[in-house]
Amino acid sequence: MRPSCSLLRRTSSLRLTLSPKLAPSPVAPWPPVRTAFDRWLMSELDELRLVPFSVSRYTSGNWLAKALDLTFAVQRMTVRLLATPAGQSATHGDRKLIEGYADGVVELLDACNGLRERMGELRKYTGSLYAASHFLDQDPRQERISSGVAARATVALAECEATEKRCDELDKLRDFNWRKLGEEIAGNAEVLAPAHNHQASTDASTAELREALSGTLAMTQLAVAATWIAVSFKTRRGLPAVQQPGRQASGWTGKLRDLHKAVKEEFEKRRRGGAAVLDELEAAAFCVRSLRRAVAHGDGREVGMSVRLARRSGPELEERTRSLGQKVDQVYRQLIRMRVMLLDKLTQLSLI
């Protein structure tokens, strides 16, 4: 006996109703397991990105000092991890990673050396600005400056111009391969991705050490590159891109990407306007240009106003240069320590 049409419709309807329930449901991914290093660096990067030191916070010397401070703190944590038992238990499978870290440190050391040279040039710049201001320091009621004073000030201001040219030449000579270093950091972070999976068999402390090494190189790259661009008079180089791994390896990579984007936008505004990125450097450069125009006009009152500006801008740049130079030295010394420890690891592996 043939089933009725109504029975067929009911059976078909029941099948359609039940089939989604009978289909296997997708397995929800496990949440990533964050290391202590990852959680700490995520928090620090958030603070570094959001605290408004000024309207253009990323172009202030104060912000750059904070970025270098964080870099030094990340390095210290990594050095401590290198000294732990996990840091001493490297295997032959880790050789390529360790070699990559050691090579990255060399490139960052070279960049820090370039920054140390730049700080020396900026000290000369402020010295020449002081000299020009001293020669031109006179009674503001005097309407004209003498030819002798103008000649001495012109020589000092010419030294400022010569320093700007030397810094420009340094920018051309020291063409750091930031992109290559960024790709190496991203490659190392990709290797670390399984460490955040609940099925990972990698020892947790070893995974954290590797993650700290990648985070240290990435943070150092950003801070050193940003400082280098900021203390250039007319940089032709933009902030190097943050190379991201194929998979999201850890939370700090996303936070670092967000910070990089915010800093890059502020830097590009200055670069498009033809100004120095660092607030204190641009203020001093403006004073040099003002003094040069005032001397050329021979107007005593105009000179007096420019000298007063220089008296404020010169010490601010000198203090900022001194502070940033000290922090770059700290980063440089800690990089040397990291490289020595990494080379020791490679030596140990060659003896196994």
Side-chain angles (χ1 to χ4, degrees), residues 20-267:
K21 296 181 180 179
L22 296 176
S25 59
V27 178
W30 284 74
V33 179
R34 301 296 183 199
T35 64
F37 173 85
D38 190 19
R39 293 193 300 271
W40 170 78
L41 186 52
M42 286 173 63
S43 174
E44 293 294 324
L45 287 170
D46 272 340
E47 182 177 344
L48 189 60
R49 184 169 69 92
L50 299 176
V51 174
F53 295 108
S54 64
V55 175
S56 55
R57 58 184 179 272
Y58 302 119
T59 59
S60 70
N62 193 6
W63 185 86
L64 286 172
K66 293 290 184 183
L68 290 169
D69 281 340
L70 176 56
T71 299
F72 183 64
V74 175
Q75 290 175 327
R76 280 192 305 179
M77 181 175 287
T78 303
V79 166
R80 285 198 297 268
L81 288 171
L82 282 168
T84 62
Q88 302 301 320
S89 60
T91 66
H92 282 284
D94 297 322
R95 176 182 290 277
K96 187 174 181 181
L97 272 177
I98 295 172
E99 288 175 347
Y101 292 134
D103 290 344
V105 169
V106 170
E107 293 187 42
L108 291 170
L109 283 170
D110 189 27
C112 285
N113 262 328
L115 266 179
R116 296 165 89 192
E117 291 180 44
R118 174 59 51 83
M119 297 305 176
E121 291 295 332
L122 292 183
R123 284 192 290 272
K124 296 177 185 176
Y125 190 79
T126 54
S128 300
L129 178 58
Y130 284 149
S133 301
H134 174 73
F135 294 139
L136 295 169
D137 190 10
Q138 57 184 347
D139 186 347
R141 292 170 296 183
Q142 187 173 335
E143 294 186 0
R144 306 296 299 176
I145 59 174
S146 68
S147 58
V149 167
R152 290 192 292 273
T154 299
V155 171
L157 293 171
E159 287 296 327
C160 290
E161 186 176 359
T163 299
E164 292 183 24
K165 290 180 179 178
R166 283 195 300 271
C167 289
D168 188 47
E169 289 301 317
L170 278 176
D171 281 343
K172 294 176 183 177
L173 291 173
R174 289 187 171 274
D175 187 17
F176 305 112
N177 196 343
W178 295 114
R179 179 178 179 81
K180 178 183 176 184
L181 178 58
E183 289 173 349
E184 290 174 355
I185 295 169
N188 289 342
E190 174 69 10
V191 171
L192 298 176
H196 292 294
N197 190 293
H198 70 289
Q199 298 176 338
S201 59
T202 307
D203 179 75
S205 57
T206 302
E208 183 170 28
L209 171 62
R210 294 175 179 175
E211 183 176 60
L213 284 165
S214 286
T216 297
L217 293 185
M219 184 64 216
T220 307
Q221 179 193 16
L222 175 61
V224 171
T227 305
W228 180 274
I229 294 170
V231 296
S232 299
F233 286 94
K234 293 180 181 178
T235 182
R236 296 176 176 82
R237 184 185 301 131
L239 196 64
V242 173
Q243 301 293 328
Q244 294 295 308
R247 292 176 289 176
Q248 186 67 20
S250 63
W252 64 259
T253 59
K255 299 293 184 181
L256 190 67
R257 180 195 58 224
D258 294 341
L259 176 63
H260 174 276
K261 180 180 178 181
V263 174
K264 184 180 178 68
E265 288 174 355
E266 289 292 333
F267 278 28

Side-chain angles (χ1 to χ4, degrees), residues 289-306:
R289 294 191 294 268
S290 297
L291 285 171
R292 191 179 293 123
R293 286 194 300 268
V295 170
H297 296 159
D299 188 330
R301 286 172 295 185
E302 184 180 356
V303 166
M305 288 188 355
S306 298

